Amino acid sequence: MALAFEERQYSVSDLDALAAGMSAVLEERGVGPGARVAVMSSNRPEFVVALRAIWRLGAAAVLLSPAWKQAEVNHALALTVPSHAVGDHPVLAELMPMLHLDEPVTPVHRASGTVAGDAHAVFVFSSGTTGMPKAVRHTHASLAVAVRHWREALQLFETDRMQVMTPPSHILGLLNIVMALDTGAWIRLHPRFDIDTMLRHIESDRITIEMAVAPIALALSAHPRLETHDLSSLRYIMWCATPVTQSVAQAVTERTGVSWVTAYGASELPVISCNDIENARLDTVGRPASGVSVRIVSLDTGESLDAGTEGEIQVLSDSAMAGYLPEETTADAFADGWYRTGDVGYLDEDGWLRITDRAKEMIKVRGFQVAPAEVEAVLHGHSAVEDCAVFGVPDATNGEAVVAAVKTSAAVEPDALIAHVAERLASYKRPSRVFIVSEIPRLPSGKVLRRVLKERLWTSV
């Protein structure tokens, strides 16, 4: 068996037969090489089947977050212009004809053809600082390299067993699923995160590698009965997608004896660095992965900097995205072929990478990127909002939290503004706090001084 979900088990041949059956249905509907198929699905085996079916036809999957609301999905569809849709989400079904994943599929035993490496495989979404999410274009070749780098970094073997609770539309969830099946490791999918379910299945399934983002790590450290669970099968827990909270990780290790490994990546270039599996350190995101080059450049001049000097982290790898949609936004993401992460950090004399700040203004909540401009645009749509600015603050549970400063033209309660955003954007983009202020500090150019706001508002409380 290769994949489990609730009480169901699937072998690779089962998944291949179901994918061949679904590809026949999609082909009858007009999906062929080069087509784009929107996929909006919870974490379930049918997602895996749909992804493999789309790839069998030489088409690309446009992965939409199941947390998105209609405005976000509308934007993604307008940007990528998929011709067909597959999923289990009513929002997508309302916007275009959708093959529902609950519809039965007749398995077909048919060999799959070959797909060119430079053909698009997936479109995932990564928010920019200037507005709505951009579509990240990955080819079959770049995704295959990312899978290889991730497998080598994790030291994953056929004998390993994993479970995935992160959404498959997120690059981490996608990479874990594709890598496990490609390697021959066993994997269990869960429709959502639940700490007790996770701990129970580590025991019953003898999970060997556990993936964790900040909320999962915090739930582990806060669990009152953590010591009663048998976690002896775990080789390690991987902390990724959000900055490490060392005290939380150390508390879990002290209670369970299980060590942590940290890694660093991006939707645009999925695997940048990873710690050594043995003797991993929590004060660094590790060394560059095999086949990946990292350089630190000056934020002012763009010149390469020596070890120990802080600057922008730039990365060179064959796993880098083919580009963005809109295409005109791609050029600014690269410098002489090097992907510009927008993160600030340094490499020490021994090649360990440390991240110290973020040059971009992105807010990272539970591993998901939130563009301040997107939340600001929604707040500006409220009749009582005259001006606003959104920024991120450290949050022990979610990595970062969204905070909004709002200048109003009429009386309005902060909770009403939070509800206004919640009705229109995914829950992770909702501000945790709204401050009513007398002004929004800006440069003469109009650029918001977010750092000033953060210091003025957040440090005061």
Side-chain angles (χ1 to χ4, degrees), residues 99-124:
L99 174 63
H100 202 289
L101 292 178
D102 287 341
E103 293 185 28
V105 173
T106 302
V108 176
H109 294 281
R110 184 175 66 184
S112 61
T114 57
V115 179
D118 60 357
H120 285 132
V122 291
F123 293 74
V124 295

Side-chain angles (χ1 to χ4, degrees), residues 170 172 212-217 239-245 262-263 285 358 364-368 395 397-400:
H170 188 279
L172 178 61
V213 293
I216 294 177
W239 189 316
C240 39
T242 49
V244 172
T245 306
T262 62
V285 290
R358 186 147 50 244
K364 211 161 190 181
V365 180
R366 303 198 303 272
F368 297 99
D395 181 86
T397 302
N398 298 312
E400 285 187 295

